[in-house]
Amino acid sequence: MRYLFLHGLGQQPNSWDAVLTACALRGEVECPDLAAWLRAGDGTYAGMYRTLAAACAQGGTAPVCLCGLSLGAVLALQYAIAFPGRVHALVLIAPQYQMPKWLLRLQNFLFRLLPAHAFSEMGLSRQEMIRLTRSMETLDFSRQLDRITCPVLVLCGARDRTNHKAAVQLARHIRGAVYQAVPDAGHEVNRGAHAALARILCEFYGVTGEGNGCMIRPEDQKGGTP
């Protein structure tokens, strides 16, 4: 089985390291650098998504397990809508499916206040951050959620008040999706609650022991490609 773990804005691929060490998934596990994807395209969300679609296509027609946090969750959600038969299982952490413009504009305002050196740890420059978030303002997947056919798990840190409402609503709108709050976790669940997240992922993927891969039970399938 092939897994793609998509990190959040301001994170790095190694943000998944502790989670993946605890999961010990067997298969092809990839944690792409979304900053590199952004620069490889045109500096917009649309360009980043095209890179995701191309990366998934490299595996041929074999379905992939997608797990994304925040920005990564938005990318994973869009791909599952566009290619429902190519996604075996979908985990969305702190997702938004109808982008709140006020939040993006607030982020851009805060980006302008931060010193330049603060962006070095995020992997993107101030200008790249602002251009990316501006390009996401019109995203709205609310009328396409019925296209998703694979098992879906929606997660949100119990202390992540900004994304909690959207996560709960998203789970309600996707047929058969399950919502779960991650106790004692904020927005960056993969960093702040990696052990709890690993346990949740192992249960969702049907991992029965260290080193096992993604084994979604047949009764959990909802019409997706096995």
Side-chain angles (χ1 to χ4, degrees):
M1 182 58 65
R2 186 183 180 203
Y3 302 83
L4 260 67
F5 286 82
L6 308 174
H7 61 75
L9 185 64
Q11 291 190 341
Q12 306 290 340
N14 61 13
S15 299
W16 296 107
D17 285 358
V19 176
L20 296 178
T21 298
C23 281
L25 298 172
R26 184 176 63 191
E28 184 180 352
V29 180
E30 302 173 38
C31 302
D33 184 348
L34 299 190
W37 280 8
L38 184 70
R39 296 191 179 107
D42 58 3
T44 67
Y45 171 85
M48 183 182 289
Y49 172 74
R50 287 192 294 270
T51 305
L52 168 63
C56 290
Q58 290 177 359
T61 59
V64 63
C65 292
L66 290 177
C67 177
L69 182 146
S70 195
L71 170 61
V74 177
L75 289 163
L77 176 64
Q78 183 173 359
Y79 186 82
I81 290 171
F83 302 100
R86 298 183 186 176
V87 181
H88 187 63
L90 181 64
V91 180
L92 304 171
I93 308 171
Q96 292 283 343
Y97 63 97
Q98 188 176 27
M99 296 307 298
K101 292 183 180 180
W102 68 268
L103 180 58
L104 294 175
R105 290 170 182 171
L106 175 61
Q107 283 182 325
N108 280 343
F109 174 76
L110 296 176
F111 289 156
R112 291 187 176 91
L113 298 179
L114 290 174
H117 67 80
F119 293 89
S120 60
E121 297 180 359
M122 300 183 188
L124 294 172
S125 68
R126 187 199 316 273
Q127 292 74 22
E128 288 172 327
M129 286 278 199
I130 292 175
R131 184 178 184 186
L132 170 60
T133 52
R134 279 180 176 171
S135 71
M136 297 176 68
E137 287 187 0
T138 60
L139 293 179
D140 185 353
F141 305 114
S142 57
R143 297 184 179 182
Q144 302 167 283
L145 299 175
D146 59 350
R147 288 181 51 82
I148 299 174
T149 57
C150 66
V152 179
L153 176 63
V154 182
L155 302 173
C156 192
R159 299 199 305 268
D160 185 359
R161 297 182 179 180
T162 301
N163 296 287
H164 172 263
K165 181 178 180 180
V168 171
Q169 290 177 341
L170 179 59
R172 290 173 179 169
H173 291 322
I174 299 176
R175 185 174 64 254
V178 174
Y179 170 79
Q180 185 172 347
V182 182
D184 302 318
H187 179 61
E188 295 186 292
V189 179
N190 54 351
R191 284 176 167 171
H194 68 270
L197 178 57
R199 286 193 296 270
I200 292 169
L201 292 178
C202 285
E203 181 178 357
F204 178 66
Y205 289 141
V207 173
T208 57
E210 184 173 313
N212 286 289
C214 183
M215 298 178 291
I216 300 299
R217 300 173 183 85
E219 61 268 26
D220 291 336
Q221 292 284 356
K222 302 190 291 297
T225 303

